[in-house]
Amino acid sequence: MAEKKKAASVKGSAPVAGTKKVDGCKYVYFFGDKNTEGDASMRNELGGKGANLAEMCRLGLPVPAGFTITTDCCTAYFAGNCTMPKTLKVEVDAALAKVEAVMGRKYGDPDNPLLLSCRSGARQSMPGMMDTVLNIGLSSLTIPGLIKKTNNERFVWDSYRRLIMMYADVVMEKAEGIEPMDGKGIRKILDEILDQYKYIKDYKSDTDLTADDLKVLAGAFKRKIEEVLGVEFPDDPVKQLWGSIGAVFKSWVGAKAVSYRRIEGIPDEWGTAVNVQAMVFGNMGDTSATGVAFTRNPATGENLFFGEWLINAQGEDVVAGIRTPLPLNDETKTDQNKHMHSMEDLMPKTYKELDAIRTKLEKHYKDMQDIEFTVEDKKLYMLQCRTGKRGGKAAINMALDMFDEGLIDEKTAVLRVQPNQVLEFLLPIIEPKIEAKQPYLVKGLPAGPGAATGEIVFTAQDAVQASRLGKKVILVREETSPDDVEGMRAAVGILTSRGGMTSHAALVARGWGKSCIVGADAMVIDASNKTMKVGNRTFREGDVLTINGSKGVVYEGELPLVAPSASGDYDRFLRYMSLVDKYRTMGVRANADSPADATKAREFGAEGIGLFRTEHMFYGEGSAKPLFLLRKMILCTTPADRTAVLKELFPFMKTDIKNTMAVMEGYPVTVRLLDPPLHEFLPHSQLGRLELAKALNIAEDEVRKRVDAVEESNPMMGHRGVRLSVTYPEVTEFQARAILEAAAELIKDGKNVTPEIMVPLTCDVSELAYVKSIIEKVHEEVVRRFDLKELKYTVGTMIEIPRAAILADQMAGVAEFFSFGTNDLTQMTFGFSRDDIGSFMNGYLDKRLLPADPFQTIDKNGVGALIEMATQKGRSVRKNLKVGICGEQGGDPASVEFCFAQGLTYVSCSPFRVPVARVASAQAAIKAMGK
Amino acid sequence: MAEKKKAASVKGSAPVAGTKKVDGCKYVYFFGDKNTEGDASMRNELGGKGANLAEMCRLGLPVPAGFTITTDCCTAYFAGNCTMPKTLKVEVDAALAKVEAVMGRKYGDPDNPLLLSCRSGARQSMPGMMDTVLNIGLSSLTIPGLIKKTNNERFVWDSYRRLIMMYADVVMEKAEGIEPMDGKGIRKILDEILDQYKYIKDYKSDTDLTADDLKVLAGAFKRKIEEVLGVEFPDDPVKQLWGSIGAVFKSWVGAKAVSYRRIEGIPDEWGTAVNVQAMVFGNMGDTSATGVAFTRNPATGENLFFGEWLINAQGEDVVAGIRTPLPLNDETKTDQNKHMHSMEDLMPKTYKELDAIRTKLEKHYKDMQDIEFTVEDKKLYMLQCRTGKRGGKAAINMALDMFDEGLIDEKTAVLRVQPNQVLEFLLPIIEPKIEAKQPYLVKGLPAGPGAATGEIVFTAQDAVQASRLGKKVILVREETSPDDVEGMRAAVGILTSRGGMTSHAALVARGWGKSCIVGADAMVIDASNKTMKVGNRTFREGDVLTINGSKGVVYEGELPLVAPSASGDYDRFLRYMSLVDKYRTMGVRANADSPADATKAREFGAEGIGLFRTEHMFYGEGSAKPLFLLRKMILCTTPADRTAVLKELFPFMKTDIKNTMAVMEGYPVTVRLLDPPLHEFLPHSQLGRLELAKALNIAEDEVRKRVDAVEESNPMMGHRGVRLSVTYPEVTEFQARAILEAAAELIKDGKNVTPEIMVPLTCDVSELAYVKSIIEKVHEEVVRRFDLKELKYTVGTMIEIPRAAILADQMAGVAEFFSFGTNDLTQMTFGFSRDDIGSFMNGYLDKRLLPADPFQTIDKNGVGALIEMATQKGRSVRKNLKVGICGEQGGDPASVEFCFAQGLTYVSCSPFRVPVARVASAQAAIKAMGK
């Protein structure tokens, strides 16, 4: 049984960077009375939990004494190959002595033993991702003393069996890197023993277990542990303490924590602090209790004290959901719990005390706090306090309320909402009346807000392909992995049968504000056959579902979606956004390819279109005719034939552009010339070929030959972008004419329009000059033919090839504006084909060789260096050069901040992300003011 | 008939850059007596011909007077949209007056008319690429006067018909951009009239034409010209002169000239000068003559006056080969012409005069000169003098001789040989005894030196593919285009049925020193069916031919090739190379993948291997077993399976590397880890799949699935290079072990070896650090197992991804050396897929949007900027960082010079190009000394 292998991974997986030796530093900070050494500003050293425990002590709040071992110590621990720094023991002993003094108990003392908890605490909260050990210090020596002291034999044995279970799991198994046997960890084995015992004794609940039962179980647990892990459960409190400290450190590099950090972008080298604190007990009888609370309602933002509590319980019981928690006070009771007793009823004095602390904390922190407390025999203790997480609506409501209350200033109010949170106000919802009547197909966890409806697909690749064809798809997977990110992006919604609220799908979807339901485990997915079953019903690729990601409910078929502006809080959103725009200095435009998108973009506050893709007309609805003409054109072999087809295509081009510019009247519209590799448009079916063969009056085989001739080894670096203009100048001429005639017609109608013509994929100024000269010629013609006094327009270029960035000073000699195409720029700068990273990106992220997928988060070091270089070089030649970004990162808050720092004129993103970019841009400006 | 369209291209195709207005500059320089204004140093302004005409005047040599219109004037002409600068006329008139004064004749004078020639002359010689008009000034008015003056009616009418033919062609048709009718130019039409007339009169030769005949023909020509071109032949000498000047300017942007410049890398903005010079006549009777000569033998380098001449002829007759020219003197007579009279015999006095000029010119120019002369009624005139072109053997012989003669110093001797010319000493030849007995299949022009034998292929793509499989192929084409360059590079020899010595194939092959025969017009090629016919014999793809590119002869089947070191001049080559190495400071290594290549490389003076591709063992001969194992490994799904296959593969890896290192003992060997996308290795035939299915014990369909799974959209930017190490660290571990064990075994044998392990395709220092840590671990193991005191090795990286160049300072923190992979770096920097540029590169070159194909010539502005940045950043962190280049440009002289300027430690190229790189490197060093 002791054959379990030690996993080789633990030692090797220490943080990569922090290899500085920091022996000699102060590693331990005491808290608990007026001698408290830390404070809230020391979050980096003490972690969030440690810093706030110290701060609460400084505020005079009742906090059980303890000490925090710093994050630096964690770094030193890994640097030393998982050994504690030499000076640590002395510091811990000294701090422990102070704790003993304040608490009036002694650690390991047989008569009056102090018990300790040992909790992680990183700079940034990583809820549930790292480990905790409670009730440390119970041993054959201290148990009798504690029983005597508390006169509560059951409580002590219950605490002991909890210690054994946690310790065996966290310290003895996980921290040692032992692989679970048959996929079963020691925790599970012990749980099974517990369940079996309860079954034999016919107990319904853990509370039925008597002191004697628990004593028996503790003995059985210890025997099993030795059998399975080959090591004895330590009876020495000192050994328990140091084992727990090491285990918390090691949980920093546990798989769960690592993957959470990757998704949240938390650096590995930060490390975690360890908080060692005197145990207080909410489970010592009916005068004891434990609870969690928020100083305001985290779901709505309402200024009401909101929380849950349990009598005679330990903290984990509230979280674990074994017993139903009670409401904190009367005013926040709901229909479900209005019959229950509140703390306000049952412990009015303690509640008052707690409510006073609530007020004190909000005044002090000037923000909503998430607190944990324990009442040990009527005495209130504060165990945790941190800024509370909140939804988007709550965030806006709180920010505006606190501003109105005079608690915070305007800038702070703007900063209080995470940019992505505004998506909650923008995402479509299912028409409420219809949804109310609709039976649901299956339920899961509400992982990403908003509703979506679309055809189901079962692979990320299918999602990408279908979306390229203009289809709306819902990606259905058992669970998602970084491999699927492209497909997740392409889908309108994500639905998984496994995984919880912190699963990959949930974290990614939430980041994007994309509708997502996870853990809908009534679905049985067969990805290889592209089907899923719910009960005895089978759904296939292409079947339509509608999901409500805010509720976690899946419906069959297509339900009508409506804009959320119908909902009541929308005016609060608008008020917040007007504050945002007061501080925003960088422009925000939208990527929009149709009048409908443009209308949406205006509605969301876009100040122009940063990217109108002319090729959009060849995708999706209504594209059949233009696409057919385009195919015909591609297969023409002479400029004359091409010109003939272009004439047919011309009205389609012009109409699309004209209607979009009309919607955007008064704002600039950047129209990009044809960009994709031509092969993307060609038919791969026999039917498609036959149709073309007929139209071109040639044999199908000849069509096949010509289609094959267009195929490329590396299309991403092939015949596309401006290269098409060089080969087929007549195509560019027609595009320029479509844009400029559309503008001319609008000007004739008295409209104010300024097209910006954007040349994609340039690598040399000569290409740009060549295309510009074509456009200039067309412009002259159009002005003459429409008899206009003036037709203002500009010609600019995408900067998406490294060489264009390197030679940006030359480019700016001709280009009147730049727009960074960060998708392609990232591809070329890394030499990563975005379509092909699936096979190796995971390896890079798993081995922490890259901090993040650079297609999701702008790579500041490499791609960013080119952006900086190009902006500076461009402006060295053309002082007021307009510089924007229109890659997908244009709507990513971190990237918006980076663009602001580079002095970009605007960012451009999809219409829905325009408000996100507006918020991010305003926040960047406020932060740059030094707040 | 006058419907011929004006091509729109002429106006638009003016040089792009030189748009500075230079009116007010001096545009005209007189030469002819002591008032000569130019000299040899003014090559940039006056062109080579103009500068040397002026210099010869200054030396007191007999040069017919004339004047040169500068290259700046050409630039101004195009900048002004093909109009002459305003000040030009006054300057030309003044210079013409001087010419008239010196020659004692007057232009357009009816009694004593001066005739003029009008010739192009660029900075760098572009033989035959631009146009010339002779006998300008003949008109109805001046013809009678000249007849009277010369008393030679036939001569005058012959000159007149020549003027008409040239003028109609060069000035009236080509310079006006008129498209030839039915593919037939006016020149051809007039030639046909001439031939028809001779046929009717039953004349054998032009010399049979009488004065009356020529008069009749002149009339017919003029009528035809008006009929075809719609314009009259101008009878006004002034009109003739200005027409000719403009035509010579325009010939600078003629198709021939443009394509020549592209291939030779001559900038478009240089422009050409125009030399207007008094005509002298070698065709005035038996006391007149004309000839061309070299001051030494241009084929062998022998110090003998060498040339050809014709009595009673004009210069073009010698070149055109209508009459067989006579030898210049007795000592250079050959078996073929020993019966003919030399100039030394027939015109001893004039020959002596010419011989004295020869001596004077060599003393003055200190180099072999190529001269043109004319004797007009016993009076010798020098018409041209320029440094003579010579073959490689001649270049080396002359350089060494002139050094021995004290004419030049050592550095100059080194500079006198073009780097590529040394290839003549290295290229294989057909075993002479066997070749002597072999009947030839077909003959063509000897366009690229050396012999080659291989299977024939008919497309560039096939050449590339076959060469990847390790096959030696000869690329057979009707003619080649820039599209074919990759295939030409991949082939061992090139054979075309069309084209002359300046055809694309000839120019490219000569540049590379690659065996090439052009214009073998007895071959009939059917590229689409991949066959060729010679007479009634058909050859198919895969049939073997042997070509002797030095002679232009094609043989059937494979003939044995031998090293040229057998030939007599090899010691001269060695002596020259020892001079070269005396001045060379930058290292030269070879790219070599086998012991055989390494042996060759050492022989050619490589100081190490800069690139050993581990994947070489999977290509070509002997690769069947390792390739099969590699395929098996790629399709394994678990690390354990992979490791098992790697064990089988290990001995192959080690042996190859060990034997190569043994050959290179004492020199560094850079071994690159596996680089190509895995898909390249997988079988696409059913047979291959079945074999694998059997070995892996899975279904063929499963093999197909796994093979498909490895396929990528853009493999060039996909799962390859270091990314393979990240995904499959076990593969890297095995490679590292193969390299280090190979070294260990050699060290045990007392050998001195230093492997350099090179990581390809890195974009971040973390990847490199990861791979380095794997290598370090293996190194420790190997040192321990072999019980070595020391096993020196280094780990470095290719810099071939833009991001690696941008972050080179970080890279250098881990990398102990850099090697620029300029092929990939060029791909990513431009976003050009080398496999796909065929579809658009021509457009870029035709429209002059790029100066050259950046895969042939390093792009100094973009790629070069990254090389410079990376070198500087790298050395800012690691002062003595070894920096090399191992892309294909490593053996390109211009790139070698660039690398020298960047301070690179070494260049690495294919073994045959090592001597070329040595010469280029030495020359760069000498030039940098300011020699």
Side-chain angles (χ1 to χ4, degrees), chain B residues 588-593 597-598 600-602 605-612 664 668 670 886 906-912 914:
Chain B
V588 175
R589 298 193 188 182
N591 300 346
D593 309 323
D597 279 2
K600 190 119 279 173
R602 283 292 306 128
E607 299 156 321
I609 289 181
L611 178 62
F612 176 98
M664 275 286 156
T670 306
C886 64
Y906 66 85
V907 296
S908 188
C909 53
S910 68
F912 272 109
V914 164

Side-chain angles (χ1 to χ4, degrees), chain B residues 596-891:
Chain B
D597 279 2
T599 307
K600 190 119 279 173
R602 283 292 306 128
E603 197 180 300
F604 293 150
E607 299 156 321
I609 289 181
L611 178 62
F612 176 98
R613 284 167 284 242
T614 41
E615 57 268 24
H616 175 81
M617 59 187 286
F618 305 119
Y619 298 116
E621 226 176 303
S623 65
K625 175 75 177 170
L627 178 60
F628 176 73
L629 291 170
L630 179 70
R631 288 173 169 183
K632 209 170 135 187
M633 187 201 81
I634 294 170
L635 297 190
C636 286
T637 51
T638 70
D641 288 352
R642 255 191 307 278
T643 302
V645 185
L646 280 167
K647 276 186 186 150
E648 288 185 76
L649 204 45
F650 185 72
F652 293 96
M653 292 193 210
K654 192 171 72 176
T655 308
D656 239 29
I657 295 168
K658 183 177 170 185
N659 293 342
T660 303
M661 282 201 286
V663 170
M664 275 286 156
E665 207 218 324
Y667 291 99
V669 174
T670 306
V671 183
R672 182 177 70 182
L673 301 178
L674 198 65
D675 183 49
L678 297 181
H679 198 258
E680 271 192 18
F681 299 108
L682 291 177
H684 297 278
S685 68
Q686 203 192 15
L687 193 74
R689 282 194 300 268
L690 282 170
E691 203 184 6
L692 275 170
K694 207 173 141 193
L696 289 164
N697 201 14
I698 55 178
E700 190 215 332
D701 200 50
E702 177 64 23
V703 171
R704 189 200 300 271
K705 262 192 206 161
R706 293 192 194 171
V707 169
D708 285 350
V710 182
E711 198 131 18
E712 300 186 300
S713 308
N714 297 286
M716 200 54 76
M717 300 197 293
H719 199 178
R720 51 175 287 234
V722 68
R723 298 162 201 175
L724 298 171
S725 301
V726 171
T727 321
Y728 309 119
E730 58 275 16
V731 177
T732 300
E733 203 179 309
F734 266 86
Q735 286 187 78
R737 185 165 294 122
I739 298 164
L740 294 168
E741 282 197 9
E745 290 174 6
L746 290 168
I747 290 169
K748 279 280 178 196
D749 290 351
K751 300 247 158 106
N752 167 20
V753 294
T754 318
E756 302 178 334
I757 304 178
M758 181 154 76
V759 185
L761 216 75
T762 50
C763 68
D764 195 283
V765 67
S766 65
E767 296 165 310
L768 189 60
Y770 176 73
V771 174
K772 196 176 180 183
S773 73
I774 295 174
I775 298 169
E776 279 167 354
K777 209 186 76 192
V778 173
H779 176 256
E780 259 177 56
E781 281 173 32
V782 172
V783 167
R784 205 179 320 118
R785 200 145 58 74
F786 282 77
D787 194 24
L788 296 174
K789 236 196 268 161
E790 193 176 34
L791 196 181
K792 275 195 217 162
Y793 75 109
T794 53
V795 175
T797 187
M798 302 214 36
I799 301 285
E800 50 186 340
I801 297 279
R803 196 172 186 274
I806 295 167
L807 302 176
D809 42 353
Q810 293 183 17
M811 303 303 282
V814 173
E816 292 162 286
F817 62 87
F818 282 177
S819 181
F820 290 104
T822 42
N823 299 342
D824 271 315
L825 192 58
T826 301
Q827 293 202 104
M828 310 293 173
T829 305
F830 276 88
F832 283 172
S833 160
R834 197 165 143 188
D835 290 332
D836 300 311
I837 53 167
S839 54
F840 56 87
M841 185 50 75
N842 270 352
Y844 276 83
L845 299 176
D846 287 345
K847 290 177 176 137
R848 282 173 260 176
L849 301 177
L850 287 177
D853 177 345
F855 293 104
Q856 291 192 57
T857 306
I858 246 176
D859 158 48
K860 291 183 191 167
N861 290 339
V863 176
L866 287 176
I867 290 177
E868 188 178 345
M869 184 191 298
T871 306
Q872 288 176 0
K873 281 192 164 189
R875 290 201 173 136
S876 75
V877 168
R878 200 182 279 265
K879 213 180 142 209
N880 296 315
L881 184 73
K882 229 191 248 187
V883 181
I885 173 177
C886 64
E888 255 163 66
Q889 291 104 328

Side-chain angles (χ1 to χ4, degrees), chain A residues 262 481-486 489 504 826-827 830-857 859, chain B residues 712 717-720 722-724 726-727 763-764 766-767 803:
Chain A
R262 177 166 329 130
S481 78
D483 255 5
D484 298 318
V485 166
E486 279 313 297
R489 204 194 290 270
H504 178 262
T826 300
Q827 292 202 99
F830 277 87
F832 282 173
S833 160
R834 197 166 144 188
D835 291 331
D836 301 312
I837 53 170
S839 53
F840 56 87
M841 184 51 73
N842 270 351
Y844 275 84
L845 298 176
D846 287 345
K847 290 178 175 136
R848 283 172 261 175
L849 301 177
L850 287 178
D853 177 346
F855 294 103
Q856 291 192 60
T857 306
D859 158 49
Chain B
E712 300 186 300
M717 300 197 293
H719 199 178
R720 51 175 287 234
V722 68
R723 298 162 201 175
L724 298 171
V726 171
T727 321
C763 68
D764 195 283
S766 65
E767 296 165 310
R803 196 172 186 274

Side-chain angles (χ1 to χ4, degrees), chain A residues 524-640:
Chain A
V524 179
I525 293 170
D526 180 351
S528 59
N529 286 313
K530 302 192 177 179
T531 61
M532 66 171 230
K533 280 192 174 184
V534 179
N536 53 8
R537 305 210 34 208
T538 301
F539 294 83
R540 289 169 208 293
E541 189 179 80
D543 288 347
V544 174
L545 296 181
T546 299
I547 62 177
N548 179 340
S550 307
K551 285 194 189 166
V553 182
V554 182
Y555 303 97
E556 214 184 315
E558 185 178 346
L559 302 189
L561 305 186
V562 295
S565 48
S567 95
D569 285 331
Y570 203 69
D571 59 328
R572 302 283 280 173
F573 165 69
L574 292 178
R575 184 174 161 217
Y576 173 71
M577 291 308 290
S578 72
L579 282 190
V580 161
D581 282 346
K582 196 164 161 185
Y583 290 94
R584 181 166 60 84
T585 54
M586 183 168 62
V588 175
R589 299 193 189 182
N591 300 346
D593 308 324
S594 66
D597 279 3
T599 307
K600 191 118 275 171
R602 282 293 305 129
E603 198 181 300
F604 293 150
E607 299 156 322
I609 290 180
L611 178 62
F612 176 97
R613 284 168 285 240
T614 41
E615 57 268 22
H616 175 79
M617 58 187 287
F618 305 118
Y619 298 116
E621 226 177 302
S623 66
K625 175 76 179 173
L627 178 59
F628 176 73
L629 290 172
L630 179 71
R631 288 173 167 182
K632 209 168 133 187
M633 188 202 82
I634 294 170
L635 297 190
C636 285
T637 51
T638 70

Side-chain angles (χ1 to χ4, degrees), chain A residues 262-560:
Chain A
R262 177 166 329 130
I263 289 161
E264 294 289 311
I266 301 173
D268 287 331
E269 56 271 24
W270 279 3
T272 181
V274 177
N275 297 291
V276 177
Q277 192 176 18
M279 286 293 303
V280 291
F281 299 96
N283 57 344
M284 277 177 71
D286 288 349
T287 55
S288 298
T290 193
V292 296
F294 297 88
T295 57
R296 305 193 181 203
N297 187 321
T300 64
E302 250 181 324
N303 189 1
L304 294 173
F305 195 19
F306 182 94
E308 297 175 326
W309 72 303
L310 278 173
I311 298 170
N312 193 15
Q314 268 201 334
E316 52 175 342
D317 301 333
V318 183
V319 180
I322 299 171
R323 287 160 60 191
T324 306
L326 312 174
L328 203 63
N329 49 31
D330 297 335
E331 57 187 352
T332 61
K333 279 185 179 172
T334 63
D335 283 354
Q336 281 81 43
N337 64 15
K338 61 185 171 194
H339 59 285
M340 295 181 184
H341 284 296
S342 68
M343 188 178 181
E344 200 176 5
D345 295 340
L346 295 181
M347 294 185 173
K349 199 172 145 258
T350 317
Y351 175 75
K352 222 170 187 175
E353 211 180 318
L354 186 65
D355 194 40
I357 288 174
R358 169 212 175 201
T359 311
K360 198 166 187 175
L361 284 174
E362 264 214 354
K363 279 246 166 76
H364 181 69
Y365 282 104
K366 298 182 193 305
D367 200 356
M368 186 267 273
Q369 296 299 302
D370 165 357
I371 60 179
E372 288 179 23
F373 62 89
T374 284
V375 182
E376 180 181 287
D377 194 18
K378 294 182 191 160
K379 177 156 172 43
L380 176 66
Y381 287 101
M382 299 300 295
L383 295 185
Q384 162 124 320
C385 137
R386 60 183 172 194
T387 299
K389 302 221 166 182
R390 64 207 75 180
K393 289 185 187 184
I396 285 182
N397 280 327
M398 282 184 207
L400 295 174
D401 286 351
M402 288 186 187
F403 170 57
D404 291 341
E405 291 160 22
L407 204 59
I408 57 176
D409 62 11
E410 219 170 45
K411 291 181 199 167
T412 307
V414 170
L415 291 174
R416 275 292 162 81
V417 180
Q418 289 169 33
N420 280 331
Q421 288 184 319
V422 299
L423 285 172
E424 278 183 36
F425 288 88
L426 309 175
L427 299 169
I429 56 176
I430 300 171
E431 164 63 62
K433 283 177 198 160
I434 292 178
E435 187 174 12
K437 290 183 216 154
Q438 195 70 18
Y440 69 85
L441 177 71
V442 65
K443 272 191 176 181
L445 301 169
T453 183
E455 298 180 14
I456 58 174
V457 293
F458 293 89
T459 71
Q461 241 177 332
D462 290 340
V464 169
Q465 272 167 15
S467 88
R468 282 195 185 146
L469 298 174
K471 284 188 189 167
K472 291 187 168 171
V473 295
I474 291 177
L475 177 61
V476 180
R477 304 280 292 155
E478 279 202 326
E479 51 196 337
T480 63
S481 78
D483 255 5
D484 298 318
V485 166
E486 279 313 297
M488 294 166 76
R489 204 194 290 270
V492 296
I494 301 154
L495 175 57
T496 76
S497 59
R498 294 202 202 150
M501 292 295 280
T502 55
S503 64
H504 178 262
L507 290 166
V508 171
R510 220 173 301 142
W512 292 339
K514 177 159 292 193
S515 186
C516 173
I517 296 172
V518 298
D521 51 15
M523 308 187 316
V524 179
I525 293 170
D526 180 351
S528 59
N529 286 313
K530 302 192 177 179
T531 61
M532 66 171 230
K533 280 192 174 184
V534 179
N536 53 8
R537 305 210 34 208
T538 301
F539 294 83
R540 289 169 208 293
E541 189 179 80
D543 288 347
V544 174
L545 296 181
T546 299
I547 62 177
N548 179 340
S550 307
K551 285 194 189 166
V553 182
V554 182
Y555 303 97
E556 214 184 315
E558 185 178 346
L559 302 189

